[in-house]
Amino acid sequence: MITKTELSEILHSINGLAVGEGEDFLDQAGAFPKCAYFEIAWTDEMASGDSYEELVTYQISVESRRPRDPALLALKRALNERSLHPDFYHEKISPAKGPSHFHSYCSITCKEVLTDGPSY
C-alpha cells in the first residue's frame, strides 16, 4: 500500500499529463490530457487490540481527447510497476458546449493519518 505523497509522485511523473488535486481541476480550461485525484472514502482498518490504520481511497480521473491516450497508458504502466492493479473505467463525455472527450477513472487506497487515534 502506498501513501498519498507516493500517489502524487506517480501521477506527476507521467510526461505530458497535467495533474491537480480536487475535482475542480478537471473543470479548468487547459490542454488534454489532464488528471485530477480526490478523496472518495475513508476507512479504518482494524489491527490487533485498539490499533488501526486509517485508509483514504482516491479517485483518479483522466480526461483526454482520445481513448487509450498515451498518458493514460503510461499511468497504468507506472501503477502496475508498483504492484498496483486498479480497475479502470471509461466513458465518453459529450458536453452541450465544446468538443467531446473521454473520461477514464480508477481508485487507489492510501495509508494516511486522519486523526490521532482514539481519545481516552
Side-chain angles (χ1 to χ4, degrees), residues 22-81:
E23 293 175 84
D24 292 340
F25 183 77
L26 295 175
D27 296 333
Q28 298 174 5
F32 287 89
K34 54 187 171 180
C35 173
Y37 62 107
F38 46 92
E39 297 179 6
I40 59 171
W42 294 350
T43 306
D44 290 341
E45 184 172 276
M46 302 306 293
S48 60
D50 290 334
S51 65
Y52 61 93
E53 285 187 333
E54 294 173 310
L55 307 176
V56 177
T57 301
Y58 287 88
Q59 179 170 316
I60 302 167
S61 288
V62 177
E63 290 186 346
S64 59
R65 291 283 186 217
R66 58 184 170 163
R68 296 191 183 188
D69 187 278
L72 177 62
L73 296 174
L75 171 59
K76 181 184 181 322
R77 194 169 21 260
L79 292 170
N80 292 166
E81 288 171 355

Side-chain angles (χ1 to χ4, degrees), residues 83-111:
S83 297
L84 299 169
H85 299 275
D87 293 331
F88 281 83
Y89 302 91
H90 313 279
E91 60 186 345
K92 183 178 180 183
I93 307 294
S94 299
K97 294 182 181 181
S100 296
H101 60 275
F102 294 89
H103 175 227
S104 300
Y105 57 98
C106 68
S107 63
I108 297 288
T109 300
C110 300
K111 290 188 293 188

